Amino acid sequence: MINFTYYNASVWEVSIREVASRLPRRFFGGFSSVSERSDPKAYNPSMSDRRRPLLWLLVLLPLLAAVFLGLSPRPAGLDRALQGAHLSLSSGAAEGAARNLARVAAYLPWRITIWEQAGLSALEAGDAAAAADFLQSAADAGHISPAGLLALGDAGWALGDLAAATRGWTEALQRGHDPIRTLERLLEAHKRAGDYTAAISVLQALSTLDPQDAGYRYQLGLMLAAREPQAALGFLLEAAELDDALLETVRTLEQDLAADPADEDPAVALVNAGRALARLGEWGLAREAFRQSTQVNPNFADAWAFLGEAEQQNGLSGRESLSQALALDPASLAANLLYGMMLKRAGDYDGALTYLEFAAAADPENPAVLAEIAGALAGRGDVNGALDYFSQAIEKAPDNPAYLLLLSQFSIYNDIQVDGIGLPAARRALAMQPGDPIGLDLIGYAYYLRSDPASARRFLLQSLQSNPNYAPARLHLGLVYLEEGKTEMAVAQFALAAELAPGSRIGDQAAEFVRRYAP
């Protein structure tokens, strides 16, 4: 994808010591919680989970009766812990329940079933580290339920311990926990680990368990596309039959995956599948497809070039793969174009132009190459040259709004002939694809630069209505609110932009505005 942006003791004491040594120190000095996570697979108690405290109250009742009836002498600390656990469980106070149950377990180490409830309560309260400790104690004692194993995996996930998460969820599945809930968690773990073989196996199991779920088949099709393109299409078509919303996307993918295997080199088929996945923004899967292609044919320069680009899109260098592509075929259009793009991203505009101009000579009618040259010239400060090459790209592809948007972005973000170039280009692009959030944002920002906040606000709100997660529109709307004296509303928009685009120039600028204007 072409991308050009401006923001380019005692028995009691012995027992306590033996057990307390397994407790987090912080648990007896205040509860330390971790931030709540928004991951859809994070621990989220079901209705039956929420009834569990009532069951645990039954476990505690004999102990409480002994305390209240004075049947046996007990340390005052145990009395307090039992009463506190009872009250916390009764009221649903997870943090207090976890803390007091841990103290009960420390006094009564033979009642090993208490560890699981302490862990579940800690996880519900948001302390994944304490939850992991308590649940592991239950597991080590051999007294943990399938739900407890699932929660142990959830705690590992929350702590970023992928191996612990996978281990807990796998054991929960083997012990008969809800297979769909458990397999969905395992799917996320395998995807994060890049273990596509395991992920494909999980998706096949999910598709069998729920044959009417289009999402499972669609995900399975995409993953297979990165490994076995010909095997992917059937699952994708089934997904489209189950969900009409997928039809257009699947039709586009079909064009790239439907080639006769007898007529196409498998390495080429994998590259085509990778490029299709990249167009969908599935860069992790695209990288896998390109990697598979280089394994099928290690001398295929284009596969190495696209692998380098996919590696960059996944936060890696990509330089080694791109250099390998050029070494295999110095005249490769893809290798020269993508190597030039890599240098341009790094700010080496002169070096980028060397490779981009070579690519243009090899394919003078390619608007993507011309637009990349324009971006490199813009980075070098050659305004007129950049305008010329953007215009050439538009002439080569007059029906493609992407190049109009690049020209408009360059003009508006740099305040260069906004009325004569930037606004008209954005309007033409918007006419081709009404409701496009990028075009609406550019027009709104142009009006902001022209000191017309009312018009700017109207277009920016339309942009966000089309795509609430479009960070530039959030940033620009914040600027409009700031100009209107609505500082609190502005800071809210800046904070959203920073959250949506962390590490980017847009996100960094938004974060700076938050620091500057937040009360």
Side-chain angles (χ1 to χ4, degrees):
M1 177 184 291
I2 302 300
N3 227 334
F4 172 72
T5 60
Y6 173 69
Y7 300 109
N8 272 338
S10 67
V11 173
W12 284 107
E13 291 169 342
V14 169
S15 298
I16 292 169
R17 279 203 301 268
E18 288 175 349
V19 180
S21 64
R22 301 161 71 180
L23 297 175
R25 290 182 180 275
R26 68 180 180 281
F27 222 78
F28 294 96
F31 202 85
S32 171
S33 38
V34 295
S35 61
E36 184 176 347
R37 299 173 187 267
S38 60
D39 192 297
K41 309 302 177 189
Y43 179 66
N44 184 17
S46 65
M47 185 63 71
S48 61
D49 293 328
R50 289 191 289 269
R51 293 193 188 102
R52 191 179 292 110
L54 298 177
L55 300 177
W56 283 96
L57 283 173
L58 297 177
V59 174
L60 293 176
L61 283 176
L63 301 176
L64 287 165
V67 170
F68 292 130
L69 296 176
L71 298 180
S72 62
R74 296 185 183 277
L78 174 57
D79 295 351
R80 288 192 296 269
L82 285 166
Q83 293 175 47
H86 176 261
L87 291 172
S88 297
L89 287 167
S90 298
S91 62
E95 179 179 336
R99 185 190 311 113
N100 284 295
L101 284 166
R103 289 171 177 163
V104 172
Y107 279 110
L108 307 174
W110 57 89
R111 288 190 173 270
I112 50 183
T113 53
I114 296 176
W115 286 114
E116 181 175 330
Q117 180 59 23
L120 294 172
S121 295
L123 189 59
E124 185 179 348
D127 193 331
D133 288 340
F134 299 153
L135 291 166
Q136 190 60 55
S137 294
D140 292 344
H143 284 265
I144 188 168
S145 69
L149 287 167
L150 187 80
L152 181 57
D154 291 341
W157 180 267
L159 293 168
D161 189 338
L162 195 58
T166 304
R167 185 167 57 250
W169 294 334
T170 300
E171 292 179 12
L173 185 65
Q174 293 169 346
R175 292 272 302 278
H177 198 274
D178 181 342
I180 290 182
R181 288 177 60 198
T182 311
L183 285 168
E184 285 181 338
R185 285 164 160 82
L186 284 169
L187 175 61
E188 294 304 312
H190 295 322
K191 286 164 63 177
R192 180 172 293 185
D195 188 345
Y196 294 110
T197 299
I200 287 170
S201 178
V202 168
L203 279 168
Q204 288 170 333
L206 285 168
S207 297
T208 301
L209 286 166
D210 190 353
Q212 298 304 309
D213 190 301
Y216 295 148
R217 278 173 160 65
Y218 180 70
Q219 290 184 73
L220 179 55
L222 292 182
M223 286 197 181
L224 285 171
R227 291 289 190 90
E228 306 170 54
Q230 294 301 318
L233 192 54
F235 291 100
L236 292 168
L237 291 172
E238 289 174 3
E241 289 177 4
L242 290 167
D243 186 354
D244 291 342
L246 296 172
L247 189 57
E248 184 177 350
T249 300
V250 170
R251 282 176 177 169
T252 301
L253 286 167
E254 187 175 9
Q255 299 173 11
D256 295 288
L257 303 176
D260 186 345
D263 298 335
E264 188 170 23
D265 183 335
V268 174
L270 284 162
V271 165
N272 289 337
R275 296 179 68 181
L277 290 165
R279 286 193 291 272
L280 294 176
E282 296 283 350
W283 281 104
L285 289 172
R287 177 190 174 200
E288 176 65 10
F290 299 137
R291 188 186 69 84
Q292 291 287 333
S293 181
T294 63
Q295 291 186 344
V296 170
N297 183 359
N299 297 317
F300 188 13
D302 284 7
W304 286 103
F306 286 113
L307 176 59
E309 174 66 13
E311 287 170 340
Q312 290 182 78
Q313 294 292 336
N314 283 279
L316 303 173
S317 167
R319 184 180 289 270
E320 184 176 343
S321 295
L322 285 162
S323 296
Q324 176 70 2
L326 285 171
L328 289 167
D329 185 0
S332 165
L333 172 63
N336 281 278
L337 173 59
L338 295 173
Y339 200 92
M341 290 169 60
M342 177 190 69
L343 294 176
K344 181 168 73 71
R345 292 187 188 116
D348 182 0
Y349 302 113
D350 291 334
L353 286 168
T354 300
Y355 292 93
L356 295 173
E357 287 170 352
F358 185 95
D363 188 2
E365 300 300 310
N366 191 325
V369 178
L370 297 171
E372 285 296 329
I373 292 175
L377 290 169
R380 198 169 66 171
D382 186 349
V383 173
N384 292 328
L387 290 172
D388 178 50
Y389 272 93
F390 278 131
S391 298
Q392 290 184 51
I394 292 168
E395 290 174 5
K396 301 298 182 184
D399 297 326
N400 189 334
Y403 301 111
L404 286 164
L405 289 172
L406 288 173
L407 174 61
S408 175
Q409 192 176 57
F410 173 69
S411 167
I412 294 172
Y413 283 172
N414 291 281
D415 200 11
I416 299 170
Q417 301 183 49
V418 173
D419 290 331
I421 295 178
L423 269 172
R427 287 175 176 138
R428 283 177 58 192
L430 196 59
M432 294 182 188
Q433 47 186 17
D436 175 59
I438 300 176
L440 290 165
D441 168 63
L442 287 169
I443 295 172
Y445 187 53
Y447 278 117
Y448 164 77
L449 294 175
R450 296 168 66 183
S451 299
D452 186 351
S455 298
R457 184 178 356 97
R458 185 173 71 254
F459 280 98
L460 292 170
L461 288 172
Q462 289 179 46
S463 175
L464 291 169
Q465 184 177 7
S466 177
N467 182 2
N469 295 323
Y470 189 54
R474 292 285 179 192
L475 174 64
H476 298 150
L477 183 60
L479 292 173
V480 171
Y481 285 147
L482 202 60
E483 185 172 305
E484 294 177 329
K486 302 172 183 176
T487 305
E488 187 174 344
M489 295 174 67
V491 169
Q493 294 299 321
F494 295 147
L496 282 169
E499 181 181 345
L500 290 167
S504 69
R505 293 189 180 182
I506 287 283
D508 290 346
Q509 186 173 358
E512 176 58 32
F513 283 139
V514 171
R515 287 190 290 269
R516 187 183 305 175
Y517 295 106

